[in-house]
Amino acid sequence: MNQPQVFTGRDPHDGRPIAVRVENGIIRAVERGPEDDETWLSAGFIDLQINGYGGDDVNAGDVNAETVISLAGKVVATGVTTFLPTLITSSEEQITAALRAIAIARQRSGLVAQVVPYVHVEGPYISAVDGFRGAHPKEYVRPPSLAEFGRWQEASGGLVGMVTLSPHFEGIEEYIAHVIARGVHVSLGHTDATPEQIQKAVDAGARLSTHLGNGTPATLPRHPNVVWTQLAEDRLTVTMIADGQHLPADTLKAMVRAKGVDRSILVSDAVALAGMPPGIYDTAVGGRVELQASGRLSLAGTDYLAGAVLPLKDGVARAARIMGGALGDAVKMGTENPGRFVRGRGVLRVGERADLVRFTMNEAQNTLSIKTVVVAGKEWEEGEPWR
Ligand SMILES: [Zn+2]
């Protein structure tokens, strides 16, 4: 139906100039490209954890399908071609309302249907202990319920595809096995579980750790602790927030070294104030917060972080610099590695859906400048949001 298109640039993995030929939304060929093209070209970024962006918030009390459609457009503009709207701990009513809104948005908008494969529910089955719980409201933390999981899926047409939980609960293996049997990925996070409890969860099928190194108190036992156990467990792939605020550079580097690049994923964990101008904002959940130009969002007048505000592309740029200029590795942690949890997306390969991003690197500012975003073969253009 549509004309063949060709996108060119350098492959971040080896610097080779490539030309990707696209037809009917599918990659038909990856060939040698023009030598003089200095733009980078990779699979579109994949973000497994987005709460909001540009003022749109999937955790807002009044979230509706239009919120989700608007959010998708803003996220795609940052080079992300697949993302998981992430619902945090809340009442069952609020979680199912948000799931319904996302399901409706996928029906109404072709873009949302393409870029939102499923939803990540982070909580409410997490540690109630301060520090481990992070910013999740304590009143809604509860033990896992298969009945509730069933109601989430019923409300959304089976849209929950990833859950973050703490495996300290009695009988958690049964819950994990049940949801995995239904195609849901289980990630461990906001947890004060013992090494034995983490091991049991992994034996039951948990394969991810959510934003490792965050969702823990400032002070942990030197060892054992949840960070070491998850770093050492080779069956766990870890996600990390690379905004330069949530993990210091040496911590991020040491974690990637410990897990290996293949088991490392970058996420934004962006909140609604991401992409907004610096200033003081009043928020429904966090109260009065201050957003600084550096990308630090804190409770006003304190050192406490109130969420992450940088898009994944900036995390990729930062990780590349921290890892000694390894752009290919950083891109892999933002494309292919998360893609393994989203139906194998995130690779430039013949026969795959044509999700592409062209960008240049601005090392000094820890960011990438996005030149072109392609979702399922269609070029994204600002101001012309295709629905
Ligand atoms: Zn979290």
Side-chain angles (χ1 to χ4, degrees):
M1 70 195 190
N2 23 1
Q3 291 293 101
Q5 296 160 281
V6 177
F7 300 93
T8 64
R10 286 183 184 274
D11 183 340
H13 301 290
D14 53 15
R16 219 165 36 101
I18 52 171
V20 176
R21 195 153 52 79
V22 174
E23 230 179 298
N24 294 329
I26 304 293
I27 298 175
R28 296 299 178 194
V30 182
E31 296 156 340
R32 195 160 182 87
E35 290 292 337
D36 57 352
D37 198 332
E38 293 302 323
T39 312
W40 298 106
L41 171 62
S42 81
F45 298 125
I46 298 178
D47 197 335
L48 301 182
Q49 197 168 358
I50 291 192
N51 305 289
Y53 197 85
D56 295 321
D57 188 352
V58 292
N59 289 293
D62 59 352
V63 61
N64 58 39
E66 291 306 312
T67 317
V68 181
I69 294 169
S70 166
L71 171 67
K74 291 169 184 169
V75 168
V76 168
T78 68
V80 168
T81 54
T82 292
F83 74 98
L84 306 183
T86 301
L87 307 177
I88 69 162
T89 299
S90 187
S91 66
E92 179 176 335
E93 195 183 14
Q94 172 65 25
I95 292 173
T96 47
L99 285 170
R100 250 184 241 116
I102 297 164
I104 294 168
R106 289 180 87 254
Q107 287 160 8
R108 279 193 202 157
S109 156
L111 179 71
V112 177
Q114 299 278 15
V115 301
V116 174
Y118 61 83
V119 176
H120 179 176
V121 180
E122 184 193 17
Y125 316 139
I126 58 169
S127 170
V129 177
D130 286 353
F132 293 104
R133 197 179 70 251
H136 290 234
K138 190 172 190 170
E139 58 181 310
Y140 295 122
V141 172
R142 50 192 181 266
S145 157
L146 283 172
E148 182 180 13
F149 172 78
R151 290 190 292 270
W152 292 346
Q153 295 299 53
E154 202 178 320
S156 63
L159 209 48
V160 176
M162 183 177 289
V163 294
T164 289
L165 51 76
S166 168
H168 71 281
F169 293 102
E170 194 69 38
I172 194 74
E173 299 97 307
E174 190 197 337
Y175 182 90
I176 292 173
H178 177 94
V179 302
I180 284 176
R182 281 149 187 82
V184 175
H185 300 287
V186 173
S187 190
L188 309 179
H190 292 279
T191 180
D192 57 349
T194 64
E196 294 71 28
Q197 289 167 333
I198 289 171
Q199 226 60 61
K200 276 189 188 165
V202 176
D203 288 344
R207 288 293 176 268
L208 282 158
S209 300
T210 294
H211 54 52
L212 192 66
N214 296 112
T216 63
T219 307
L220 282 173
R222 71 197 195 292
H223 45 66
N225 67 45
V226 288
V227 177
W228 291 122
T229 305
Q230 293 178 85
L231 279 179
E233 173 50 73
D234 289 339
R235 289 171 292 175
L236 288 175
T237 294
V238 306
T239 74
M240 292 164 288
I241 307 171
D243 65 347
Q245 308 293 336
H246 283 75
L247 293 174
D250 57 0
T251 308
L252 178 77
K253 184 174 179 178
M255 284 183 172
V256 174
R257 290 273 170 83
K259 293 309 294 193
V261 169
D262 286 346
R263 294 190 199 94
S264 298
I265 290 174
L266 304 175
V267 293
S268 70
D269 199 9
V271 297
L273 285 175
M276 301 288 275
I280 304 274
Y281 293 88
D282 283 310
T283 64
V285 180
R288 181 155 287 203
V289 296
E290 182 178 6
L291 176 57
Q292 289 165 12
S294 62
R296 186 175 183 86
L297 180 70
S298 49
L299 296 179
T302 77
D303 270 343
Y304 293 109
L305 290 175
V309 293
L310 295 182
L312 179 57
K313 70 184 180 78
D314 292 0
V316 169
R318 193 177 295 270
R321 190 177 51 73
I322 291 170
M323 300 306 292
L327 180 62
D329 285 348
V331 166
K332 199 173 181 202
M333 294 190 278
T335 55
E336 185 179 340
N337 296 353
R340 285 204 300 273
F341 297 90
V342 195
R343 301 163 194 168
R345 290 183 187 177
V347 281
L348 289 187
R349 201 162 42 211
V350 173
E352 299 290 336
R353 197 174 93 172
D355 290 347
L356 312 173
V357 60
R358 294 175 71 250
F359 58 89
T360 57
M361 176 90 167
N362 186 335
E363 219 162 321
Q365 292 181 5
N366 276 318
T367 189
L368 306 178
S369 301
I370 303 298
K371 303 298 175 191
T372 311
V373 187
V374 176
V375 178
K378 193 163 175 183
E379 199 168 329
W380 168 259
E381 278 173 49
E382 198 113 49
E384 181 250 338
W386 51 280
R387 302 169 69 97

